[in-house]
């Protein structure tokens, strides 16, 4: 783990103290650092109006499904050039949000309080002189449709009923997210993306951009991702949803005025977190170490199912801190969108080579050796399909113990790769 | 580095002549005297035979042959030195492949599309005939399965440049014969235990493979001292050649 610690005021450090079970001490860029984007504020835009609803990809009984009201929360960093040719779209992963970098000035102890304690989820990558260099690029990230961070989702008010949608929210897809982002960019007058970049589910979104809008993407950067989720991945998502759906507080998704299904959601997150690490990484980080201040009862002195091992404590903390900031219904919708995504099925009748014949962007595919959610073998499918189309491809496989999380944790090496690929002129006349 | 030294003693010129004849070098060779002096010097001062030709001696040859608009894949492209010039000076469509993370990042910085792959397996996924040329510069001897890789190269590219250090060069023969130890030379600067060179061959070995495997040979270059000459079986190139490069293909005949 990177060595990260920073706190802006007393309230941060108090909270951080209780989080010490997790990943050691964290050092963040402070908002006044020369490399930070500083304090940020989320932006909102309504993409629908009377007579112009947002059409979703999935139909119901053969009929198109619309959202009458779609509001998107997004953030931007840096300045849009007069030619509007310096735009990088960053796409977030399952539990991410539009807050990529900086310290959210709108956060309070009662509104998104976790943002008081840490900057955006990819803060290391964005800022003056960073790979997503705010001195030259205009970086934009939108919270995906169906999420719970400001963009319309199952927790939003259904205009038909005046109540939260819950499970009445229509199923959304990775394609919907891309169409939503395209609509947002249209309204901002941005035709072409210099680059689109994402990891994990965000990587699939970046790929969908290159497939759906080949003429709008110059460079496409995909990290720790694959053209579809493996059977193992589908299985994990199924167990995670099962745990939410069978929480006694779930109540068919209508829990917004009651106690939410926090146990189910925490369990889902704990399982998911295991899939983000690797076996050897967990051994290195926790081993069979006991949680500080805990005596093992394995010598027969009674029995306890309380937390004893450090790894139990870590996962428990991941679960409980997640429920503070995430909505269980959104978790259901987004994991389903992840399940359904299949680039080959959607664009190539099941043939990835055929699907990729549409691509015109310069492609970067990065994978991590110990990632078993989107393994290097999955990434290799991208590379093969591009090669079979005669499309020049850049791929890199980083040796790392950090599993799937490596794309967020191996900051320096990932930064080096992103910087190299973003700044290169590109051969073959594509740039 | 533990350089292999030939035991230093005074060799007579006649002794060298006998030695060279034993190695198969003909007295009619016009370079005989020069070679004799070179060997004598090497024996008197140890076998630190230095490779004087520039490191990427193959690159200008390749750059002259590949035409603008054609495509090249470089297996073991390193920092992309060859490809960057082909791409930006000659408008060649390039693809690099290397197994080193640092090399891959350097290629990325230079705008060269590059795949980070195990060289032995890298070409398996490429379709047939998708490049005009494949390049394997001084990498053949590091491969686990050199013949399979050569076969893949000839499948994915119409023509292949293959260069390698000649293990039958006289300096290597001397080092092994006189010291009885694995040779360490300018082109093979490793100890036996840390060398990446696991499948070394001689020029004759390579040509024998070409002949028996029905590979077409289109052109050849041999580094003899500071000159690059076409391979000549009458010129003792398997003894005097430090490195060699061949342009080969599977040809139309065997291809269906």
């Amino acid at each position: 783990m990177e060595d990260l610690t920073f706190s802006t005021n007393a309230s941060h450090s108090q909270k951080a103290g209780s989080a010490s079970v997790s990943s050691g001490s964290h050092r963040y860029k402070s908002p006044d650092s020369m490399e930070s984007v500083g304090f940020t504020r989320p932006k909102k835009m309504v993409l629908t109006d009377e007579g112009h609803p947002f059409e979703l990809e999935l139909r119901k009984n053969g009929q198109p499904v619309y959202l009458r009201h779609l509001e998107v929360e997004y953030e931007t960093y840096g300045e849009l050039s007069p030619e509007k040719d310096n735009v990088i779209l960053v796409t977030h992963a399952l539990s991410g949000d539009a807050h990529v970098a900086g310290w959210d000035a709108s956060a309070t102890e009662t509104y998104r309080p976790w943002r008081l304690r840490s900057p955006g989820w990819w803060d290391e990558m964005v800022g003056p002189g960073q790979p997503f260099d705010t001195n030259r690029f205009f970086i934009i990230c939108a919270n995906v449709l169906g999420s719970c961070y400001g963009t319309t989702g199952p927790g939003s008010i259904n205009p038909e009923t005046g109540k939260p949608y819950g499970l009445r929210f229509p199923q959304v897809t990775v394609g919907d997210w891309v169409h939503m982002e395209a609509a947002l960019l249209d309204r901002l007058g941005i035709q072409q993306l210099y680059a689109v970049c994402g990891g994990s589910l965000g990587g699939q979104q970046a790929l969908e951009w290159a497939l759906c809008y080949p003429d709008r993407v110059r460079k496409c950067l995909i990290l720790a991702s694959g053209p579809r989720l493996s059977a193992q991945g589908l299985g994990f998502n199924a167990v995670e949803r099962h745990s939410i759906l069978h929480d006694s507080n779930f109540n068919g998704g209508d829990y917004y005025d009651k106690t939410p299904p926090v146990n189910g959601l925490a369990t889902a997150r704990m399982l998911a977190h295991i899939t983000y690490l690797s076996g050897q990484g967990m051994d290195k980080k926790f081993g069979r170490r006991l949680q500080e201040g805990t005596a093992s009862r394995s010598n027969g002195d009674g029995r306890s199912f309380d937390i004893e091992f450090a790894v139990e404590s870590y996962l428990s903390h991941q679960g409980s801190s997640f429920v503070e900031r995430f909505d269980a219904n959104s978790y259901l919708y987004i994991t389903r969108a992840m399940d359904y995504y299949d680039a080959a099925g959607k664009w190539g009748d099941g043939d990835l080579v055929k699907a990729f014949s549409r691509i015109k962007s310069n492609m970067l595919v990065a994978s991590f050796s110990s990632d078993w959610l989107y393994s290097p073998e999955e990434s290799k499918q991208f590379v093969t399909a591009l090669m079979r189309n005669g499309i020049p491809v850049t791929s890199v496989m980083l040796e790392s113990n950090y599993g799937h999380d490596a794309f967020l944790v191996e900051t320096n090496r990932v930064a080096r790769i992103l910087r190299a690929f973003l700044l290169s002129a590109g051969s073959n006349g594509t740039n | 580095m533990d350089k292999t030294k030939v035991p230093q003693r005074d060799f007579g010129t006649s002794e060298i002549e006998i030695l060279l004849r034993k190695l198969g070098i003909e007295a009619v060779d016009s370079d005989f005297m020069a070679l004799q002096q070179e060997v004598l010097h090497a024996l008197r001062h140890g076998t630190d035979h230095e490779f004087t030709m520039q490191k990427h001696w193959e690159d200008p040859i390749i750059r002259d042959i590949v035409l603008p608009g054609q495509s090249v894949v470089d297996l073991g492209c390193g920092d992309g030195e060859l490809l960057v010039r082909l791409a930006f000076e000659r408008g060649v469509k390039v693809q690099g492949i290397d197994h080193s993370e640092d090399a891959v990042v350097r290629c990325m910085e230079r705008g060269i599309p590059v795949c980070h792959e195990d060289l032995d397996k890298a070409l398996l996924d490429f379709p047939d005939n998708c490049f005009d040329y494949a390049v394997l510069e001084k990498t053949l001897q590091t491969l686990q399965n050199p013949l399979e890789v050569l076969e893949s190269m000839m499948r994915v590219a119409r023509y292949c440049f293959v260069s390698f250090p000649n293990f039958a060069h006289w300096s290597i023969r001397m080092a092994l014969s006189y010291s009885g130890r694995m040779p360490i030379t300018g082109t093979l600067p490793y100890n036996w235990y840390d060398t990446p060179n696991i499948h070394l061959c001689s020029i004759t070995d390579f040509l024998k493979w070409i002949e028996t495997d029905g590979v077409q040979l289109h052109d050849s270059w041999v580094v003899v001292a500071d000159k690059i000459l076409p391979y000549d079986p009458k010129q003792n190139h398997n003894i005097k050649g430090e490195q060699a490069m061949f342009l080969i293909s599977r040809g139309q005949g065997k291809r269906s």
Side-chain angles (χ1 to χ4, degrees), chain A residues 267-278:
Chain A
T267 306
R269 178 64 169 180
M270 288 167 76
L271 175 63
H273 218 87
I274 296 172
T275 71
Y276 302 155
L277 305 174
S278 75

Side-chain angles (χ1 to χ4, degrees), chain A residues 50-314:
Chain A
E50 208 57 49
H52 294 95
F54 186 85
E55 185 178 347
L56 299 172
E57 272 193 346
L58 295 179
R59 294 175 156 238
K60 198 168 185 181
N61 306 320
Q63 296 301 309
V65 178
Y66 298 97
L67 280 176
R68 262 174 52 192
H69 181 79
L70 166 54
E71 186 174 41
V72 58
E73 176 167 320
Y74 66 103
E75 290 195 18
T76 67
Y77 318 96
E79 301 290 326
L80 184 60
S81 66
E83 298 79 17
K84 299 185 175 181
D85 60 354
N86 67 333
V87 182
I88 296 177
L89 176 71
V90 174
T91 48
H92 70 72
L94 202 172
S95 62
D97 54 24
H99 186 46
V100 185
W103 296 83
D104 186 350
S106 69
T108 69
E109 283 298 341
T110 51
Y111 181 69
R112 297 173 171 173
W114 57 90
R115 290 191 181 175
L116 292 173
R117 303 191 291 269
S118 57
W121 56 271
W122 226 2
D123 194 54
E124 302 89 342
M125 297 297 160
V126 187
Q130 305 304 298
F132 300 126
D133 189 346
T134 45
N135 289 331
R136 58 189 298 168
F137 296 119
F138 179 68
I139 295 103
I140 182 164
C141 180
N143 183 219
V144 300
L145 187 54
S147 182
C148 49
Y149 291 119
T151 296
T152 305
S156 305
I157 300 298
N158 180 351
E160 313 283 338
T161 63
K163 290 181 191 157
Y165 279 102
L167 296 191
R168 283 165 297 277
F169 194 71
Q171 181 59 49
V172 293
T173 63
V174 173
D176 290 327
W177 300 343
V178 168
H179 293 308
M180 180 195 80
E181 287 155 347
L184 172 65
L185 294 175
D186 286 344
R187 286 173 189 242
L188 296 172
I190 296 163
Q191 228 338 278
Q192 219 199 21
L193 292 172
Y194 178 78
V196 56
C197 175
S200 190
L201 185 53
Q204 294 187 319
Q205 215 179 315
L207 172 65
E208 183 65 10
W209 258 100
L211 289 166
C212 192
Y213 298 105
D215 293 315
R216 295 185 74 168
V217 183
R218 284 173 66 187
K219 299 190 186 207
C220 177
L221 295 78
I222 300 170
L223 313 176
S225 193
R228 64 177 175 280
L229 195 60
S230 65
Q232 193 182 28
L234 292 173
F236 284 128
N237 280 353
V239 176
E240 287 160 29
R241 281 193 301 271
H242 185 95
S243 126
I244 292 168
L245 293 166
H246 292 82
D247 185 304
S248 57
N249 289 329
F250 183 63
N251 194 32
D254 293 326
Y255 51 75
Y256 290 105
D257 53 353
K258 307 186 187 64
T259 307
V262 288
N263 290 327
L265 182 59
T267 306
R269 178 64 169 180
M270 288 167 76
L271 175 63
H273 218 87
I274 296 172
T275 71
Y276 302 155
L277 305 174
S278 75
Q280 67 265 47
M282 288 176 86
D283 273 336
K284 198 173 161 204
K285 188 167 176 178
F286 309 108
R288 293 180 49 82
R289 211 158 31 82
L290 295 175
Q291 178 56 14
E292 234 172 280
T294 317
S296 174
R297 293 171 180 82
S298 60
N299 58 7
D301 292 350
R303 173 184 296 153
S304 165
F305 296 114
D306 293 343
I307 287 167
E308 289 183 13
F309 291 98
V311 64
E312 288 183 277
S313 166
Y314 172 80

Side-chain angles (χ1 to χ4, degrees), chain A residues 367-405:
Chain A
S367 61
F368 300 87
S369 60
S370 60
D371 183 353
W372 52 298
L373 195 55
Y374 289 107
S375 65
E377 290 71 33
E378 307 268 329
S379 292
K380 186 77 199 276
Q381 294 177 16
F382 283 120
V383 176
T384 305
L386 290 165
M387 284 176 177
R388 290 193 171 273
N389 279 298
I391 300 172
V393 52
T394 293
S395 71
V396 57
M397 200 279 284
L398 300 182
E399 289 290 340
S400 169
N401 260 341
Y402 289 111
H404 185 61
D405 260 355

Side-chain angles (χ1 to χ4, degrees), chain B residues 51 53-60 62 74-76 99 119 135-143 153 161-166 186-190 196-197 199-200 223 242-246:
Chain B
F51 185 66
M53 185 63 68
Q54 59 162 311
K55 196 174 160 214
H56 294 289
W57 63 273
E58 304 97 319
D59 290 6
I62 295 170
D74 188 354
L75 205 55
H99 62 276
L119 299 184
V135 175
L136 189 69
E137 271 187 20
K138 291 187 277 287
T139 303
L140 178 69
Q141 74 281 359
T142 67
L143 301 172
M153 286 174 69
F161 289 101
V162 182
S163 76
F164 54 87
N166 175 27
T187 41
L188 297 170
Y190 300 98
N197 301 320
H199 284 125
L200 288 153
V223 178
E242 296 172 32
Q243 297 191 27
M245 177 164 74
F246 297 94

Side-chain angles (χ1 to χ4, degrees), chain B:
Chain B
M1 187 193 314
D2 175 19
K3 281 236 177 184
T4 305
K5 299 275 186 186
V6 171
Q8 288 181 21
R9 63 185 176 86
D10 208 16
F11 290 87
T13 45
S14 59
E15 208 175 345
I16 301 299
E17 192 178 329
I18 292 164
L19 176 70
L20 290 177
R21 287 192 202 291
K22 275 186 183 164
L23 292 177
I25 295 180
E26 303 290 331
V28 293
D29 183 358
S30 54
D31 294 336
F32 191 84
M33 286 305 288
L35 183 59
Q36 197 175 8
Q37 286 306 311
E38 204 179 340
V39 172
L40 190 62
H41 183 267
L43 287 177
R44 283 181 176 154
H45 300 93
T47 55
D48 295 10
H49 177 76
E50 296 301 333
F51 185 66
T52 50
M53 185 63 68
Q54 59 162 311
K55 196 174 160 214
H56 294 289
W57 63 273
E58 304 97 319
D59 290 6
I61 300 169
I62 295 170
R63 286 204 304 272
D64 277 351
I65 291 175
V66 179
L67 300 173
Q70 290 188 313
S71 56
V72 172
V73 59
D74 188 354
L75 205 55
C77 62
D79 61 8
E81 188 61 34
L82 171 68
L83 296 183
V84 77
R85 295 193 61 183
L86 282 173
F88 295 111
E89 290 174 14
R90 304 271 291 163
V92 170
K93 185 178 165 184
V94 300
Q95 175 76 56
I97 299 175
D98 207 277
H99 62 276
S100 142
E101 184 181 324
D102 283 338
V104 166
V105 173
R106 186 70 194 110
C107 286
M108 284 164 63
E109 287 169 349
R110 300 175 109 178
I112 298 299
V114 59
C115 288
H116 188 199
E117 296 282 343
D118 174 356
L119 299 184
D120 275 277
K121 296 181 192 134
L123 292 179
L124 297 177
D125 293 314
F126 283 84
D128 292 359
N129 287 312
C130 60
F131 296 100
D132 293 303
Y133 292 92
V135 175
L136 189 69
E137 271 187 20
K138 291 187 277 287
T139 303
L140 178 69
Q141 74 281 359
T142 67
L143 301 172
Q144 285 287 342
N145 303 299
L147 294 189
E148 283 173 28
V149 173
L150 288 170
E151 204 53 61
S152 290
M153 286 174 69
M154 293 189 289
R155 180 181 63 77
V156 304
R158 286 162 56 216
Y159 298 99
C160 306
F161 289 101
V162 182
S163 76
F164 54 87
N166 175 27
F167 200 68
H169 185 251
W170 62 262
S171 67
I172 293 172
R173 296 181 189 215
M174 298 278 184
L176 189 57
S177 318
Y178 278 93
S179 69
R181 301 191 58 187
M182 284 303 283
I184 298 173
T185 67
T187 41
L188 297 170
Y190 300 98
N191 292 294
W192 64 271
Y193 47 80
D194 60 14
T195 181
N197 301 320
I198 53 171
H199 284 125
L200 288 153
C201 70
S202 69
I203 290 174
T204 305
D205 285 329
F206 191 80
L207 289 169
K208 195 74 191 161
W209 166 73
I210 283 180
E211 190 187 318
T212 53
D213 217 25
V215 173
Q216 285 200 12
L217 177 61
H218 302 278
D219 213 337
S220 62
W221 301 265
V222 182
V223 178
V224 178
D226 55 355
K227 288 194 277 296
I228 298 171
L229 307 168
Y231 174 75
D232 183 345
K234 297 192 192 78
Q235 291 293 321
N236 296 310
H237 280 170
N238 196 40
I239 294 172
K240 293 192 290 186
E242 296 172 32
Q243 297 191 27
M245 177 164 74
F246 297 94
L247 181 63
I248 59 172
S249 77
R250 203 19 114 188
Q252 299 307 309
K254 223 180 158 182
R255 211 166 223 154
S256 56

